[in-house]
Amino acid sequence: MKDVMTMRTIALYATETMADWEYAYLTTQIARAEEIRPGRFALVLAGDGLAEVSSLGGMPVRPSVDLSDLAGDDSLAALVIPGGDHYDTGHDRLLELIASLLRRGVSVAAICGATFLLARAGLLDRRRHTSNDTAFLQMSGYRGGERYVAEPVVTDDGITTASGVHPVAFTAEVMRLTELYPDDVVAAWERLYTAGEAAAFYELMEATHAWQDA
């Protein structure tokens, strides 16, 4: 019998210079998961206001909800924050939301420049974490240098961090945390898009079909 669950949402923070390659894998996988098993997950674009922003590649992105709408969203499975060029100041409303979500047990996932935002807010001082480089985060003035881990992606106490050159590992981690796909599907997908192995493609197809037919 196929699983029955309430529709859940995964929110993507839409902000100026959001790095296209860091969230594209995830948005695609959300759409594909819905094609296979409809009614499970929806992607929500959340902004600091509803004004259109431009991605780092110049793509127009229009938020569908304001950050305040996420504060009371009981269906929210995760907030995903892509990298960008403007995280050294501002984003105060986002930081307030993050604090609220962490208290509620909602996963917060940040990649590349977004990890700098978390660092300067003190959210990485006591959590294991990663980023683009230790020197990059040190510029934030944070106190968590001893907890930096040189890995593609790290999750600790509700916060996931990743380097901007590891969007595949980042996406796989978010998929696991939200249970967007079963673990065997995620593992095969990650191997395929990390190493490009033909065997992983067939493993992915087999695992996906098994999940679809279960």
Side-chain angles (χ1 to χ4, degrees):
M1 178 181 296
K2 293 191 176 184
D3 52 340
V4 177
M5 62 180 292
T6 303
M7 172 74 80
R8 305 190 71 195
T9 56
I10 297 174
L12 174 66
Y13 183 50
T15 185
E16 287 290 336
T17 72
M18 57 195 295
D20 308 65
W21 69 93
E22 294 173 355
Y23 58 84
Y25 285 112
L26 179 62
T27 56
T28 302
Q29 290 307 309
I30 294 171
R32 288 187 171 175
E34 274 303 287
E35 289 178 0
I36 297 170
R37 287 201 169 187
R40 298 176 66 249
F41 283 91
L43 171 68
V44 172
L45 299 178
D48 189 354
L50 300 179
E52 184 177 279
V53 298
S54 294
S55 74
L56 198 59
M59 297 287 288
V61 182
R62 183 174 295 278
S64 55
V65 301
D66 181 74
L67 289 175
S68 61
D69 296 318
L70 300 181
D73 184 359
D74 292 334
S75 69
L76 188 62
L79 171 64
V80 178
I81 313 169
D85 292 340
H86 304 293
Y87 284 118
D88 54 336
T89 60
H91 302 276
D92 294 337
R93 294 183 67 225
L94 174 62
L95 289 173
E96 291 176 5
L97 175 64
I98 290 171
S100 173
L101 295 182
L102 291 173
R103 288 193 295 269
R104 288 167 45 194
V106 177
S107 296
V108 175
I111 184 171
C112 195
T115 63
F116 191 94
L117 172 75
L118 301 185
R120 69 178 178 84
L123 293 171
L124 303 183
D125 286 353
R126 295 178 176 83
R127 290 176 170 88
R128 294 174 67 254
H129 60 277
T130 192
S131 181
N132 298 339
D133 185 70
T134 55
F136 173 65
L137 289 188
Q138 289 296 341
M139 291 187 291
S140 72
Y142 88 133
R143 301 178 180 180
E146 292 183 355
R147 293 174 175 81
Y148 186 93
V149 182
E151 296 289 343
V153 63
V154 174
T155 296
D156 187 17
D157 194 20
I159 287 183
T160 296
T161 51
S163 164
V165 297
H166 291 292
V168 170
F170 179 68
T171 298
E173 185 73 354
V174 173
M175 290 196 290
R176 291 188 187 98
L177 291 170
T178 59
E179 299 183 345
L180 181 64
Y181 290 95
D183 286 347
D184 59 340
V185 175
V186 176
W189 180 87
E190 186 173 15
R191 285 195 298 274
L192 175 61
Y193 283 87
T194 299
E197 298 174 353
F201 172 79
Y202 295 107
E203 289 176 13
L204 176 59
M205 293 300 99
E206 181 177 353
T208 301
H209 287 316
W211 176 55
Q212 183 176 12
D213 296 336

